[in-house]
Amino acid sequence: MNGTKFTYPSLAGVEWLQVGPAMSGQTFELPKSDSYTLRFEMRKRDGRDGSVSKFASQETVALSGKTSGLYNLYFVDRTMKRSASIDAQIRYSFDPGK
Protein backbone atom coordinates (compact mmCIF):
# COMPACT_ATOMS: atom_id res chain seq x y z
CA MET A 1 0.00 0.00 0.00
CA ASN A 2 1.54 3.29 -1.17
CA GLY A 3 4.87 1.52 -1.57
CA THR A 4 4.76 -0.13 1.86
CA LYS A 5 4.62 -3.93 1.87
CA PHE A 6 2.59 -5.82 4.45
CA THR A 7 2.75 -9.59 4.87
CA TYR A 8 -0.05 -11.88 6.01
CA PRO A 9 0.24 -13.84 8.17
CA SER A 10 2.77 -11.92 10.23
CA LEU A 11 1.75 -12.87 13.75
CA ALA A 12 3.00 -15.68 16.01
CA GLY A 13 5.85 -16.65 13.68
CA VAL A 14 3.48 -18.36 11.19
CA GLU A 15 4.58 -18.22 7.55
CA TRP A 16 1.91 -20.37 5.88
CA LEU A 17 -1.80 -20.93 6.55
CA GLN A 18 -4.17 -23.57 5.33
CA VAL A 19 -6.72 -21.75 3.16
CA GLY A 20 -10.32 -21.96 4.31
CA PRO A 21 -13.35 -20.07 5.59
CA ALA A 22 -12.02 -20.01 9.17
CA MET A 23 -8.87 -18.03 8.28
CA SER A 24 -8.35 -15.16 10.68
CA GLY A 25 -8.13 -11.57 9.54
CA GLN A 26 -5.32 -9.20 10.34
CA THR A 27 -5.19 -5.43 10.88
CA PHE A 28 -2.33 -3.23 9.69
CA GLU A 29 -1.53 0.29 10.91
CA LEU A 30 -1.20 2.62 7.92
CA PRO A 31 0.86 5.79 7.68
CA LYS A 32 -1.25 8.97 7.37
CA SER A 33 -2.09 9.91 3.80
CA ASP A 34 -4.88 11.63 1.86
CA SER A 35 -5.22 8.64 -0.46
CA TYR A 36 -3.98 5.06 -0.72
CA THR A 37 -3.24 2.63 -3.53
CA LEU A 38 -3.86 -1.03 -2.75
CA ARG A 39 -2.49 -4.11 -4.55
CA PHE A 40 -2.27 -7.77 -3.48
CA GLU A 41 -0.09 -10.74 -4.38
CA MET A 42 -0.36 -14.26 -3.01
CA ARG A 43 1.90 -17.30 -2.78
CA LYS A 44 0.45 -20.80 -2.45
CA ARG A 45 2.50 -23.80 -1.34
CA ASP A 46 1.51 -27.26 -2.54
CA GLY A 47 1.28 -29.58 0.47
CA ARG A 48 2.41 -32.61 -1.54
CA ASP A 49 5.66 -31.45 -3.11
CA GLY A 50 6.26 -28.05 -1.46
CA SER A 51 6.27 -26.15 -4.75
CA VAL A 52 5.17 -22.51 -4.54
CA SER A 53 2.76 -20.86 -6.99
CA LYS A 54 2.37 -17.11 -7.43
CA PHE A 55 -0.90 -15.23 -7.92
CA ALA A 56 -1.06 -11.54 -8.83
CA SER A 57 -2.96 -8.84 -10.71
CA GLN A 58 -2.11 -5.64 -12.55
CA GLU A 59 -5.11 -3.98 -10.90
CA THR A 60 -4.57 -1.31 -8.29
CA VAL A 61 -7.37 0.02 -6.11
CA ALA A 62 -7.47 3.73 -5.23
CA LEU A 63 -8.81 4.24 -1.70
CA SER A 64 -9.60 7.40 0.24
CA GLY A 65 -12.53 6.55 2.51
CA LYS A 66 -13.95 3.60 4.39
CA THR A 67 -14.73 0.74 1.99
CA SER A 68 -14.52 -3.02 1.50
CA GLY A 69 -14.32 -5.29 -1.51
CA LEU A 70 -12.93 -8.34 -3.27
CA TYR A 71 -9.57 -8.29 -5.05
CA ASN A 72 -9.15 -10.79 -7.91
CA LEU A 73 -5.89 -12.70 -8.32
CA TYR A 74 -4.64 -14.71 -11.29
CA PHE A 75 -2.09 -17.55 -11.48
CA VAL A 76 1.32 -16.41 -12.79
CA ASP A 77 3.41 -19.17 -14.35
CA ARG A 78 7.21 -19.53 -14.38
CA THR A 79 7.47 -17.51 -17.60
CA MET A 80 5.58 -14.67 -15.85
CA LYS A 81 2.49 -15.28 -18.01
CA ARG A 82 -0.74 -14.48 -16.18
CA SER A 83 -3.85 -16.67 -16.37
CA ALA A 84 -6.97 -15.20 -18.00
CA SER A 85 -9.33 -16.63 -15.37
CA ILE A 86 -9.71 -15.54 -11.75
CA ASP A 87 -7.96 -18.13 -9.54
CA ALA A 88 -8.34 -16.55 -6.09
CA GLN A 89 -10.00 -13.63 -4.35
CA ILE A 90 -8.95 -11.64 -1.30
CA ARG A 91 -11.66 -9.97 0.78
CA TYR A 92 -10.48 -6.67 2.27
CA SER A 93 -11.86 -3.82 4.31
CA PHE A 94 -10.26 -0.41 4.55
CA ASP A 95 -10.76 2.31 7.15
CA PRO A 96 -8.24 5.16 7.10
CA GLY A 97 -9.43 6.31 10.52
CA LYS A 98 -9.08 9.96 11.45
Side-chain angles (χ1 to χ4, degrees):
M1 175 154 315
N2 289 15
T4 302
K5 292 184 179 185
F6 298 94
T7 302
Y8 171 85
S10 64
L11 300 174
V14 175
E15 290 186 32
W16 296 94
L17 293 174
Q18 186 172 5
V19 175
M23 291 176 69
S24 59
Q26 189 166 339
T27 301
F28 297 96
E29 285 290 323
L30 302 177
K32 293 286 184 196
S33 180
D34 292 331
S35 63
Y36 297 87
T37 302
L38 178 69
R39 189 175 158 293
F40 290 100
E41 289 185 6
M42 181 178 84
R43 293 180 298 145
K44 177 185 155 203
R45 186 175 68 187
D46 187 308
R48 294 168 295 186
D49 66 7
S51 63
V52 177
S53 300
K54 180 178 178 178
F55 298 81
S57 176
Q58 292 296 315
E59 178 186 13
T60 59
V61 180
L63 304 167
S64 58
K66 189 173 181 176
T67 189
S68 62
L70 288 175
Y71 188 89
N72 297 326
L73 292 170
Y74 306 84
F75 173 73
V76 179
D77 71 15
R78 294 175 197 250
T79 66
M80 300 307 290
K81 179 180 168 189
R82 193 200 87 177
S83 168
S85 62
I86 298 168
D87 294 294
Q89 290 183 314
I90 294 176
R91 183 177 310 277
Y92 66 89
S93 61
F94 174 78
D95 185 353
K98 295 180 176 152

